[in-house]
Amino acid sequence: MHVRLTEQRYGKSSIYLTKVTRHQQRHDIKELAIDVALEGDFSESYVRGANHQVVATDTMKNTVFALAAEHPLEDAESFVLVLAGHFLDRIPHVTVASVTAAESPWQRIDTAAGPHANAFIGGTSERRTCSVRCTRDKTVVKGGIAGLALLKTTNSAFRGFRRDEFTTLAETDDRIFATQVNAEWTYYPKAVEWNTARETIRDRMVAVFADHMSLSVQQTLFAMGEAAMKACPSIAAIHLEMPNRHRLPINLELLGKENRNEIFVATCAPYGLITATLERENA
Amino acid sequence: MHVRLTEQRYGKSSIYLTKVTRHQQRHDIKELAIDVALEGDFSESYVRGANHQVVATDTMKNTVFALAAEHPLEDAESFVLVLAGHFLDRIPHVTVASVTAAESPWQRIDTAAGPHANAFIGGTSERRTCSVRCTRDKTVVKGGIAGLALLKTTNSAFRGFRRDEFTTLAETDDRIFATQVNAEWTYYPKAVEWNTARETIRDRMVAVFADHMSLSVQQTLFAMGEAAMKACPSIAAIHLEMPNRHRLPINLELLGKENRNEIFVATCAPYGLITATLERENA
Amino acid sequence: MHVRLTEQRYGKSSIYLTKVTRHQQRHDIKELAIDVALEGDFSESYVRGANHQVVATDTMKNTVFALAAEHPLEDAESFVLVLAGHFLDRIPHVTVASVTAAESPWQRIDTAAGPHANAFIGGTSERRTCSVRCTRDKTVVKGGIAGLALLKTTNSAFRGFRRDEFTTLAETDDRIFATQVNAEWTYYPKAVEWNTARETIRDRMVAVFADHMSLSVQQTLFAMGEAAMKACPSIAAIHLEMPNRHRLPINLELLGKENRNEIFVATCAPYGLITATLERENA
Amino acid sequence: MHVRLTEQRYGKSSIYLTKVTRHQQRHDIKELAIDVALEGDFSESYVRGANHQVVATDTMKNTVFALAAEHPLEDAESFVLVLAGHFLDRIPHVTVASVTAAESPWQRIDTAAGPHANAFIGGTSERRTCSVRCTRDKTVVKGGIAGLALLKTTNSAFRGFRRDEFTTLAETDDRIFATQVNAEWTYYPKAVEWNTARETIRDRMVAVFADHMSLSVQQTLFAMGEAAMKACPSIAAIHLEMPNRHRLPINLELLGKENRNEIFVATCAPYGLITATLERENA
């Protein structure tokens, strides 16, 4: 019997990079968790323990910090492109360089005189993500949002679904709809204003969530993705994942009270998970 | 040898309560994680397994949901007071009722027409906490904030500290100061506008953090606590815990680059932890 | 512009199932976290909010509990196969049914008289995973292990790797090797003794980790995968992910002490991540 | 108005220490998460930002690593005593030194030839904890266990509890009892074989959990604590916290099936939380 190495890929994950840019009037801060992964002719290290082709993952980490010193880091997308390019340019036996970044946003603290010049508030679960996967022939850039917590207290129904002997769920015209949106979109291969594109997509998705008369999580997810694609012509596709973070109405009749659709319990598990990918049609 | 039960206390933790209040023009939402704990004459259940005095923790959970249906829940403080009072009033052998609430805040989604009537964004690590500990003679109410993430990129120094043979830390005039504030304050036993008090304390602490020329985490912590007490005469004391969430400068010289106090790594562990309690002096 | 739904998939995640089997002399316990996901003709619910084809995720959850009552659950693999088959058999418009299970193992408590009949100890990070993806034509069964924490204090070197201007890592002949193994293997489509196969694979991987003279994480990963495939002829491929959970030697010279390769710090981030897939060669 | 600093305490938390001891025939490994905190005359740093009395928390971290190089670390208790003593001895203005350690246990991998000399398996949620709080006059040493996951499938009842209008819980003669034990005991101030004491206490608590005919969580908790104190004369008191990690029976009648006390769901929240402190009576 023989065993063959059919895929291999390695790198450094969770490189926490903080960059402060000190402008005259204000400071900017960017905090990214960066993952680097390389593919290529590394099989000797797996099969024989021969490391001469191996870039130490510690070197990948150092590279992130060294290149960050020279890059303006106004957007994460152009920085991960630089990183991936660096590894492909320098190391002939690398065939694929993948770099992802997840940004933890910091907002300026509000003051009477406007946004503070150098003090920030953070702690949101939302991450601004991006990733590149580069070969010498092709570059794919993706943007994304992870962990965006949204909730609406009305305009969400779920009726008319299939029933069988194991169906006990009641139909409802008016439920709480709570989710944590994970979205990832794929850019066309051309110049993009990355931060503008992201803000446009995020704003549209949030606005559609808020105003949509939802007949199902599926329908709202599709409407959000469709609106994002309409608003941002730079993207070719979008993938959405929306868990249904159930708020279940409490049966208060057992306790001698009436529940006027006001009292709910948030459950951790199980949860619905709705996903879809939307693509632009070639008209 | 004999063994004696010297303390006992039991209850239900992490009761996730969601209440939607449906006003004509808008909906309000309140999400609380509530813990109930009782002390009293329950020793028979421990020592002999005799349960006739035991209030099932499941009943505590039901009580939270039942009473929430009737309470306006505009602030968590008055609701936890009602809960603690309920157990003391109904159950003669309960001597202490402790109830805490941790609120996960939801903010209205911004729209062109102003804050949305029924759609919200969440996901912050910040919790608005409160707790009561009630006996038949005495009620202590505390408020708090947990997990408030703050960061400033300048106006933080750390110099002149004690050095010994194990000291390697360099002095610095200009470092990043990042923390997650946990604060708990104790109210005087009189009527308080709970939400106003909390907002006043939080606003002052955030403002002082932003503007303070910090010579140490200790000094900023004290300044924040002092400002909170000055701004809110309803509180008798405040306890603060501020971890120092280090952003360590990267030594780029080893990599042939200069670090102009711009490139840092965020570390998870270890972290400094600075705490203090401030009380109002009887003048 | 038109937008097209190109992929959609939904289901219920984190259905926590506990089954106790009460034998005469002993009880068995199985605790599984189950995820169900369906693909098929559900696009009307996304595009138009028409739910008549939708199986509520709540019904999926009920189905898991109902079928668990009748299934012996001696292994998770045969149960997830039954679940996937149930949805394909009952619902004509389902084209793919995917079900995964992650088992949290409980071990019998040791007593002087041998393993206890009905009391268990748990709490390990290790999960026994399995998944099926079934269409009406094809069934793919995978097994796996997640979160298996292994550490060796010697017989791990890392030398001779590529150096460039950003390389600062020292070569080492003797380092700590700590990891958390995630493995997933694909079974051939034929009858398998699932529990035996899993134990064989796990035992071999653990034994190889322990005894391997490691020249790199890559090499040990390959050796573990190769040994698993040799020991278990039922599997066609295995995918391994092994983070390098670094224990970094402390520079004690700065503190006037010698570090004889004894004192280390465990870091959370960043971490190396080594992955590969091995397949059996068609001889 | 004046504000007074009434308590202050600061230190370094989550110092992850790994020590490998290389014996001729085998290696030992100890992994501790250590927290150091000091109290004393540090008020100038809080009130005025004067740091000359401040021991940098970075120095505390260095001290842990430096002293670990010289300490055998066969038990964590004697090491945290050395650490606390170091700070009290060296720094006149320190009045209280508190040091805690939480050990993540690693078990030797089983081989045909017996336990492996240098390869280990880990990943348990159980932590072996200890703490000291030392002044120049007094030393209090505590030991503990955290996160010990135990479950029994029978011999647990809950009947005869108090009922009121909010009580819906059914009585039961036979339920699953699952918990994660947190225990902390206080040693008498005299010489103790720390590892032996810990093992004795743990073994007795686990054995009592397994064999106890439980009429309530409270009763089992008390029996476990009582057994620990009887088995280990070195301890003066023990505090126990036992969450009731509910496994709720599923109502299968709604699904046309019978539940013969076999099918349950594990819920994350809410959970019961039972606590007590036991002390030895002065006979």
Side-chain angles (χ1 to χ4, degrees):
Chain A
M1 190 216 63
H2 283 285
V3 164
R4 201 161 40 100
L5 187 65
T6 56
E7 283 181 347
Q8 36 84 7
R9 175 185 159 104
Y10 82 102
K12 198 73 150 191
S13 290
S14 295
I15 305 167
Y16 294 146
L17 167 66
T18 299
K19 179 162 189 175
V20 176
T21 308
R22 301 174 190 274
H23 302 288
Q24 193 76 21
Q25 302 294 335
R26 67 169 208 283
H27 292 179
D28 292 340
I29 184 162
K30 203 85 173 176
E31 294 215 304
L32 304 176
I34 291 175
D35 295 351
V36 174
L38 302 180
E39 297 167 59
D41 185 10
F42 298 108
S43 59
E44 289 288 283
S45 68
Y46 287 87
V47 177
R48 294 200 305 114
N51 295 329
H52 57 284
Q53 300 277 58
V54 173
V55 182
T57 65
D58 189 75
T59 302
M60 299 177 191
K61 176 204 70 181
N62 286 345
T63 303
V64 167
F65 291 123
L67 299 193
E70 292 169 352
H71 192 280
L73 256 173
E74 280 166 18
D75 50 66
E77 285 82 352
S78 58
F79 183 54
V80 298
L81 279 165
V82 164
L83 283 166
H86 172 91
F87 293 109
L88 280 173
D89 288 352
R90 301 296 189 82
I91 314 171
H93 61 281
V94 168
T95 53
V96 185
S98 300
V99 185
T100 70
E103 181 180 357
S104 301
W106 289 96
Q107 292 195 300
R108 291 178 191 281
I109 289 172
D110 275 330
T111 74
H116 200 282
N118 52 56
F120 302 85
I121 193 162
T124 175
S125 61
E126 188 178 345
R127 293 290 174 270
R128 300 172 189 151
T129 64
C130 65
S131 68
V132 293
R133 178 182 166 86
C134 300
T135 65
R136 286 189 177 74
D137 299 326
K138 193 180 173 188
T139 294
V140 178
V141 184
K142 296 184 177 181
I145 289 169
L148 171 60
L150 299 175
L151 180 150
K152 57 197 289 185
T153 55
T154 189
N155 295 333
S156 170
F158 189 49
R159 303 189 63 85
F161 47 84
R162 202 174 178 281
R163 305 194 79 89
D164 66 20
E165 79 268 38
F166 298 145
T167 303
T168 57
L169 186 70
E171 306 210 332
T172 175
D173 282 322
D174 195 5
R175 61 176 181 173
I176 292 180
F177 182 173
T179 189
Q180 272 201 313
V181 181
N182 291 317
E184 190 174 53
W185 50 86
T186 306
Y187 288 103
Y188 286 114
K190 58 181 181 187
V192 176
E193 282 287 329
W194 306 112
N195 288 342
T196 306
R198 169 186 309 282
E199 280 158 36
T200 302
I201 292 168
R202 184 185 182 284
D203 286 355
R204 286 305 298 147
M205 291 202 302
V206 170
V208 169
F209 174 85
D211 288 331
H212 192 240
M213 178 53 232
S214 174
L215 300 176
S216 66
V217 175
Q218 284 87 334
Q219 191 201 18
T220 301
L221 179 153
F222 184 81
M224 290 166 66
E226 191 180 33
M229 295 195 74
K230 287 188 173 161
C232 181
S234 303
I235 65 172
I238 187 166
H239 177 74
L240 284 156
E241 293 182 1
M242 287 171 49
N244 192 349
R245 293 288 176 191
H246 308 293
R247 266 63 175 175
L248 305 180
I250 299 291
N251 184 347
L252 292 181
E253 279 178 35
L254 299 171
L255 310 177
K257 311 271 179 185
E258 188 190 357
N259 190 350
R260 290 156 304 203
N261 204 20
E262 288 182 319
I263 307 295
F264 305 83
V265 62
T267 55
C268 345
Y271 59 91
L273 183 57
I274 317 300
T275 69
T277 305
L278 283 64
E279 291 185 13
R280 207 176 294 275
E281 274 197 350
N282 303 319
Chain B
M1 190 215 65
H2 283 285
V3 165
R4 200 161 40 102
L5 187 66
T6 55
E7 283 182 347
Q8 35 85 8
R9 173 185 162 102
Y10 82 102
K12 199 73 151 192
S13 291
S14 294
I15 305 167
Y16 294 146
L17 167 67
T18 299
K19 180 163 190 176
V20 176
T21 308
R22 301 173 190 276
H23 303 289
Q24 192 77 19
Q25 303 293 335
R26 68 170 209 281
H27 291 179
D28 293 339
I29 184 162
K30 203 85 173 177
E31 294 215 303
L32 303 175
I34 292 176
D35 294 351
V36 175
L38 301 181
E39 297 167 60
D41 184 10
F42 298 107
S43 59
E44 288 289 282
S45 67
Y46 286 87
V47 178
R48 294 200 306 112
N51 296 329
H52 58 284
Q53 300 277 59
V54 174
V55 182
T57 65
D58 190 75
T59 301
M60 298 178 190
K61 175 205 70 180
N62 285 346
T63 304
V64 167
F65 291 123
L67 299 193
E70 292 169 353
H71 191 280
L73 254 173
E74 280 166 19
D75 49 66
E77 284 83 353
S78 58
F79 183 54
V80 298
L81 280 165
V82 163
L83 282 167
H86 172 92
F87 293 110
L88 280 173
D89 288 352
R90 301 296 188 82
I91 314 171
H93 61 280
V94 168
T95 54
V96 185
S98 301
V99 186
T100 71
E103 182 180 355
S104 300
W106 289 96
Q107 292 195 301
R108 289 178 193 281
I109 289 172
D110 274 331
T111 73
H116 200 282
N118 52 55
F120 302 84
I121 194 162
T124 177
S125 61
E126 188 178 346
R127 295 289 174 269
R128 299 171 191 153
T129 64
C130 65
S131 69
V132 293
R133 179 181 165 86
C134 300
T135 64
R136 286 191 177 72
D137 299 325
K138 191 178 174 189
T139 293
V140 177
V141 184
K142 297 184 178 182
I145 288 169
L148 169 61
L150 298 175
L151 180 150
K152 56 198 289 186
T153 55
T154 190
N155 294 333
S156 169
F158 189 49
R159 303 189 62 85
F161 46 85
R162 200 173 180 282
R163 304 193 79 88
D164 67 19
E165 79 268 37
F166 298 145
T167 304
T168 58
L169 187 71
E171 306 209 331
T172 175
D173 283 321
D174 196 4
R175 62 175 181 176
I176 293 179
F177 182 174
T179 189
Q180 272 201 313
V181 180
N182 291 317
E184 191 176 53
W185 51 85
T186 306
Y187 288 104
Y188 286 114
K190 59 182 180 185
V192 176
E193 283 287 328
W194 307 112
N195 288 341
T196 306
R198 168 185 309 282
E199 280 158 34
T200 301
I201 293 168
R202 184 186 182 282
D203 286 354
R204 285 305 298 145
M205 291 202 299
V206 170
V208 169
F209 174 84
D211 288 331
H212 193 241
M213 178 52 233
S214 173
L215 300 176
S216 67
V217 175
Q218 283 88 334
Q219 191 201 20
T220 303
L221 180 152
F222 184 80
M224 290 165 66
E226 191 180 34
M229 295 195 74
K230 286 187 175 163
C232 181
S234 303
I235 65 173
I238 186 167
H239 177 74
L240 284 156
E241 293 183 359
M242 286 171 49
N244 191 349
R245 293 289 175 189
H246 310 294
R247 265 65 174 175
L248 305 180
I250 299 291
N251 184 346
L252 292 181
E253 280 179 34
L254 299 172
L255 310 176
K257 310 273 178 185
E258 189 190 356
N259 190 349
R260 291 158 304 203
N261 205 20
E262 287 182 319
I263 307 295
F264 304 84
V265 62
T267 56
C268 343
Y271 58 92
L273 183 57
I274 317 299
T275 70
T277 305
L278 283 65
E279 290 185 15
R280 206 176 294 273
E281 275 197 348
N282 302 320
Chain C
M1 192 216 64
H2 284 285
V3 164
R4 199 162 39 101
L5 187 65
T6 57
E7 283 182 346
Q8 35 86 7
R9 174 186 160 104
Y10 82 102
K12 198 73 151 192
S13 291
S14 294
I15 305 166
Y16 295 147
L17 167 67
T18 298
K19 180 163 189 174
V20 175
T21 308
R22 302 174 189 275
H23 302 287
Q24 193 75 22
Q25 302 294 334
R26 67 170 208 283
H27 292 178
D28 293 339
I29 184 162
K30 204 85 174 177
E31 294 216 303
L32 303 176
I34 292 175
D35 294 352
V36 175
L38 301 181
E39 296 167 60
D41 185 9
F42 298 108
S43 59
E44 289 288 283
S45 67
Y46 287 88
V47 178
R48 295 199 305 112
N51 295 328
H52 57 284
Q53 299 277 59
V54 173
V55 182
T57 65
D58 190 75
T59 302
M60 298 177 191
K61 175 204 70 180
N62 286 346
T63 304
V64 167
F65 291 123
L67 299 193
E70 291 170 353
H71 192 280
L73 256 172
E74 280 165 19
D75 49 67
E77 285 83 353
S78 57
F79 183 55
V80 297
L81 280 165
V82 163
L83 283 166
H86 173 91
F87 293 110
L88 281 173
D89 288 352
R90 299 299 187 81
I91 314 171
H93 61 280
V94 168
T95 55
V96 185
S98 301
V99 186
T100 70
E103 182 180 357
S104 300
W106 289 97
Q107 293 195 300
R108 290 177 192 281
I109 288 172
D110 274 331
T111 73
H116 200 282
N118 52 54
F120 303 84
I121 192 161
T124 177
S125 61
E126 189 178 345
R127 294 290 174 270
R128 299 170 190 153
T129 64
C130 65
S131 69
V132 293
R133 179 182 165 85
C134 299
T135 64
R136 285 192 177 72
D137 299 326
K138 193 179 172 187
T139 294
V140 177
V141 184
K142 296 184 177 181
I145 289 169
L148 170 61
L150 299 175
L151 181 151
K152 57 198 288 185
T153 55
T154 190
N155 295 333
S156 169
F158 189 49
R159 304 188 62 83
F161 46 86
R162 201 173 178 282
R163 304 193 80 87
D164 66 21
E165 78 269 37
F166 298 145
T167 303
T168 57
L169 186 71
E171 305 209 332
T172 175
D173 283 322
D174 195 5
R175 61 175 181 175
I176 294 180
F177 182 174
T179 190
Q180 271 201 316
V181 180
N182 290 318
E184 189 175 55
W185 51 86
T186 307
Y187 288 103
Y188 286 114
K190 58 182 180 186
V192 175
E193 283 286 329
W194 307 111
N195 288 342
T196 306
R198 168 184 309 280
E199 281 158 35
T200 302
I201 293 168
R202 184 185 182 283
D203 286 355
R204 285 305 297 147
M205 292 202 301
V206 170
V208 168
F209 174 85
D211 289 331
H212 192 242
M213 177 54 232
S214 174
L215 300 176
S216 67
V217 175
Q218 284 87 334
Q219 191 201 19
T220 302
L221 180 153
F222 184 80
M224 289 166 66
E226 191 180 33
M229 294 195 74
K230 285 188 176 163
C232 180
S234 303
I235 65 173
I238 186 166
H239 177 73
L240 284 157
E241 293 183 359
M242 287 172 48
N244 192 350
R245 292 289 175 190
H246 309 294
R247 265 64 173 174
L248 305 181
I250 299 292
N251 184 345
L252 293 181
E253 280 179 34
L254 298 172
L255 310 176
K257 310 273 178 184
E258 189 190 357
N259 190 348
R260 290 157 304 203
N261 205 19
E262 288 182 319
I263 307 295
F264 305 84
V265 61
T267 56
C268 344
Y271 60 92
L273 182 58
I274 318 299
T275 70
T277 305
L278 284 63
E279 291 186 13
R280 207 176 293 275
E281 275 197 348
N282 302 320
Chain D
M1 190 216 63
H2 283 284
V3 165
R4 199 162 40 102
L5 187 66
T6 55
E7 282 182 347
Q8 35 86 6
R9 174 185 161 103
Y10 82 103
K12 198 73 150 192
S13 291
S14 295
I15 305 167
Y16 294 146
L17 167 67
T18 299
K19 179 162 189 176
V20 176
T21 308
R22 299 173 191 277
H23 301 288
Q24 192 77 20
Q25 303 293 336
R26 67 170 209 283
H27 292 180
D28 292 340
I29 184 162
K30 204 86 173 175
E31 295 216 304
L32 303 176
I34 292 176
D35 295 351
V36 174
L38 301 181
E39 298 167 60
D41 184 10
F42 298 108
S43 59
E44 289 289 282
S45 67
Y46 286 88
V47 177
R48 295 198 306 111
N51 296 328
H52 58 284
Q53 301 277 60
V54 173
V55 182
T57 65
D58 190 75
T59 302
M60 298 178 191
K61 174 204 71 179
N62 286 345
T63 303
V64 167
F65 291 123
L67 299 192
E70 292 169 353
H71 191 280
L73 255 173
E74 278 165 22
D75 50 65
E77 284 83 353
S78 57
F79 183 54
V80 298
L81 280 166
V82 163
L83 283 167
H86 172 91
F87 293 110
L88 281 174
D89 289 351
R90 300 297 188 83
I91 313 171
H93 61 281
V94 168
T95 54
V96 185
S98 301
V99 186
T100 70
E103 182 180 357
S104 300
W106 288 97
Q107 292 195 302
R108 291 178 190 282
I109 289 172
D110 275 330
T111 74
H116 200 283
N118 52 55
F120 302 84
I121 193 161
T124 176
S125 61
E126 188 178 345
R127 294 289 174 270
R128 298 172 191 151
T129 64
C130 65
S131 69
V132 292
R133 179 182 165 86
C134 299
T135 64
R136 284 190 178 72
D137 299 325
K138 192 179 173 188
T139 293
V140 177
V141 184
K142 296 185 178 181
I145 290 169
L148 170 61
L150 299 175
L151 181 151
K152 56 197 290 186
T153 55
T154 190
N155 295 333
S156 170
F158 189 49
R159 304 189 62 85
F161 46 85
R162 202 174 178 282
R163 306 193 79 88
D164 66 19
E165 78 269 38
F166 298 145
T167 303
T168 57
L169 186 70
E171 306 209 331
T172 175
D173 283 321
D174 195 6
R175 61 175 181 175
I176 293 180
F177 181 175
T179 189
Q180 272 201 312
V181 180
N182 290 318
E184 191 175 52
W185 50 87
T186 306
Y187 288 104
Y188 286 114
K190 58 181 181 186
V192 175
E193 283 286 329
W194 306 112
N195 288 341
T196 306
R198 170 185 308 283
E199 280 159 35
T200 302
I201 292 168
R202 184 186 182 282
D203 286 355
R204 284 306 298 145
M205 291 203 300
V206 170
V208 168
F209 174 84
D211 288 331
H212 192 242
M213 178 52 232
S214 173
L215 301 176
S216 67
V217 175
Q218 283 88 335
Q219 191 201 20
T220 302
L221 179 153
F222 184 81
M224 290 166 65
E226 190 180 34
M229 294 195 73
K230 287 188 175 162
C232 180
S234 303
I235 65 173
I238 186 167
H239 177 73
L240 284 156
E241 292 183 359
M242 287 172 47
N244 192 349
R245 293 288 175 191
H246 309 294
R247 266 63 175 176
L248 305 180
I250 299 291
N251 183 347
L252 292 181
E253 279 179 35
L254 298 171
L255 309 177
K257 309 274 179 186
E258 189 190 356
N259 190 349
R260 289 156 306 202
N261 204 20
E262 287 182 320
I263 307 295
F264 305 84
V265 62
T267 56
C268 345
Y271 59 92
L273 182 58
I274 317 300
T275 70
T277 305
L278 284 64
E279 291 185 15
R280 206 176 295 275
E281 277 198 347
N282 302 320

